[in-house]
Amino acid sequence: MSTLRNPDLAAPGHDKMNWVRRKMPVLNALGERYRHDLPFKGQKIAISLHLEAKTAILAELLHKGGADVSITSSNPLSTQDDVAAALASQGVDVHAFRGADEKEFDDFQHKVLDIEPTLIIDDGGELTDRLHSSRRQLAANVKGGAEETTTGVTRLKALAAQKQLLYPMVAVNDADMKHLFDNQYGTGQSTWDGIMRTTNLLIAGSTVVVAGYGWCGRGVADRSRGLGARVIVTEVNPIRANEALMDGHQVMRMDEAASYGDFFVTVTGNRDVIGPQHFTKMKDGAVLANAGHFDVEVDVKGLRTLATQVIAGRNENVQGFVLPTGQVLWLLAEGRLVNLAAGDGHPVEIMDLTFGLQALSLEYLLKHPLAPGLYPVDPAVDTWVAEIRLKALNVAIDQLTADQAHYMASW
Ligand code: ADE
């Protein structure tokens, strides 16, 4: 039996799913094939992903492809309760609601593992974490899995390097059709969508401080500029700092940037990137948002300790922290992923690509049993997803002639 906030919310959830289905050519193409092939027949798939409409279409696809599917959310604030209800009404086992506390969140991860999965899809390593600790006895059943994020892949790399990884995992994040688009354009757009719909503030003419210039950070910085902001980037990596400079952004230390920013966006994957030493330097009214996987990038505990008062903002996703010096800092979505906790996640067309890679990577694992370890996405899968998208957009590209292929392959 599913665990939901309210099963009666299914109708608007179905509307959201129907909306996104129209713009997901990759998943639709897979759906056509899966109806006949049932590639996941007999498989039990446990999923921990942000539970919104696009994710529901992926879960539905795997279910239609023959699998028993059990799904929870990879963040306590990213579940959309109407979508969760809609998906559950279709026979998928769902354990999630928005605003789950720490214990409920952990219980839900365990509930999806109770199906004794043969395959997993993870976002940030929540399932893998439990399968390598309290649920270790289940790991032997797992034929493999796929990981969505940079943060999850970083954790898996550490586990694999210590030869501790108990089953094969595919690093979906590292595929070209994932990080080049999802991390950059997806995070760029969805982060600003979350900030703007939450605050209703003007970005043009403001100063935006972007912490981290990986694929996500550069997407956020580029969209900040597109909205008319001045952009300051903070980095720890000298090569990325040079990239940010050559992309036309200012680069400085957070210690200095703190006093300039109107908006701060953290996208580093690391902890305590903005802390008390920075809060005290910030302007009255500065907005703090995190777009990294975990809620550790802004030191929320430190902010709470420093503040003399916490005041309500314009909605449940904004809280004001009044500092002893009188200035108010506005924290969005409790410092959790602003694009999902205060928005709908990445645009539909982007998640179509990412989730196409997820489904195909699970299929790959079934067709090519692998030893425990971390594996890249099969290049043929990456190319197939790219081709389907071009076809859907009616975009044709040139092909190498035999002479050209020979020329490129010869000394
Ligand atoms: N929607 C579902 N999963 C997501 C993710 N990892 N990032 C952004 N939007 C999403």
Side-chain angles (χ1 to χ4, degrees), residues 196-218:
M196 291 194 295
R197 72 163 85 169
T198 304
T199 63
N200 196 215
L201 294 174
L202 180 68
I203 317 304
S206 70
T207 297
V208 173
V209 177
V210 179
Y213 208 67
W215 287 105
C216 295
R218 73 187 66 192

Side-chain angles (χ1 to χ4, degrees), residues 49-52 54-55 74 123 148-149 178 182 190 337 339-340 344-347 351 354-355:
L49 284 173
H50 302 291
L51 187 39
E52 47 91 358
K54 285 91 77 183
T55 315
S74 49
D123 186 331
E148 171 101 350
T149 59
K178 203 289 187 174
D182 175 311
S190 63
L337 276 165
N339 57 342
L340 282 143
D344 287 308
H346 293 349
M351 292 316 296
T354 299
F355 288 157

Side-chain angles (χ1 to χ4, degrees), residues 74-391:
S74 49
N75 186 295
L77 286 187
S78 64
T79 302
Q80 300 196 5
D81 289 322
D82 50 1
V83 171
L87 189 58
S89 77
Q90 295 181 190
V92 171
D93 188 37
V94 181
H95 300 282
F97 48 69
R98 182 183 159 91
D101 64 24
E102 235 171 79
K103 168 148 190 334
E104 288 162 336
F105 180 77
D106 184 54
D107 285 349
F108 293 159
Q109 305 297 321
H110 283 286
K111 282 233 183 257
V112 300
L113 290 176
D114 286 345
I115 63 161
E116 304 187 356
T118 55
L119 293 167
I120 65 167
I121 299 183
D122 223 352
D123 186 331
E126 296 294 347
L127 297 179
T128 289
D129 180 17
R130 286 154 184 91
L131 284 166
H132 284 73
S133 51
S134 53
R135 305 303 292 277
R136 227 178 147 80
Q137 76 283 6
L138 295 180
N141 292 334
V142 178
K143 295 179 206 286
E147 167 57 53
E148 171 101 350
T149 59
T150 313
T151 294
V153 169
T154 304
R155 297 169 97 190
L156 285 172
K157 277 181 185 155
L159 209 52
Q162 295 162 17
K163 304 250 180 291
Q164 299 286 320
L165 188 51
L166 296 172
Y167 39 77
M169 284 295 289
V170 178
V172 167
N173 179 72
D174 295 356
D176 285 345
M177 286 305 289
K178 203 289 187 174
H179 68 271
L180 293 178
F181 305 103
D182 175 311
N183 299 25
Q184 186 168 207
Y185 300 100
T187 308
Q189 179 170 324
S190 63
T191 296
W192 279 110
D193 176 14
I195 297 172
M196 291 194 295
R197 72 163 85 169
T198 304
T199 63
N200 196 215
L201 294 174
L202 180 68
I203 317 304
S206 70
T207 297
V208 173
V209 177
V210 179
Y213 208 67
W215 287 105
C216 295
R218 73 187 66 192
V220 173
D222 193 47
R223 289 300 172 259
S224 308
R225 177 163 52 202
L227 288 161
R230 283 178 293 277
V231 182
I232 297 172
V233 170
T234 69
E235 247 302 340
V236 292
N237 177 320
I239 296 172
R240 286 183 176 173
N242 271 284
E243 286 185 281
L245 284 173
M246 290 201 204
D247 286 343
H249 306 306
Q250 264 191 289
V251 176
M252 62 182 77
R253 288 186 173 164
M254 185 59 83
D255 268 345
E256 195 187 344
S259 57
Y260 295 119
D262 298 297
F263 295 89
F264 292 81
V265 184
T266 51
V267 241
T268 66
N270 214 329
R271 56 180 301 170
D272 304 331
V273 176
I274 304 182
Q277 72 277 30
H278 307 121
F279 300 140
T280 49
K281 293 183 178 159
M282 288 180 182
K283 293 190 219 175
D284 181 36
V287 171
L288 310 177
N290 168 50
H293 183 79
F294 287 117
D295 58 342
V296 295
E297 305 212 11
V298 177
D299 177 5
V300 178
K301 219 164 136 199
L303 183 56
R304 213 170 273 287
T305 307
L306 191 63
T308 54
Q309 201 189 346
V310 182
I311 57 176
R314 72 186 279 264
N315 57 42
E316 58 166 4
N317 285 322
V318 199
Q319 271 187 315
F321 290 80
V322 185
L323 302 195
T325 38
Q327 74 263 44
V328 182
L329 304 184
W330 298 105
L331 177 70
L332 305 191
E334 302 171 15
R336 297 191 188 274
L337 276 165
V338 71
N339 57 342
L340 282 143
D344 287 308
H346 293 349
V348 182
E349 298 91 328
I350 295 279
M351 292 316 296
D352 184 41
L353 306 176
T354 299
F355 288 157
L357 295 169
Q358 291 280 17
L360 286 163
S361 294
L362 294 193
E363 270 194 85
Y364 184 89
L365 284 163
L366 290 179
K367 286 183 199 144
H368 307 86
L370 296 167
L374 185 60
Y375 294 87
V377 168
D378 177 16
V381 163
D382 228 359
T383 304
W384 185 84
V385 170
E387 285 172 351
I388 292 287
R389 171 146 174 80
L390 291 181
K391 197 167 148 209

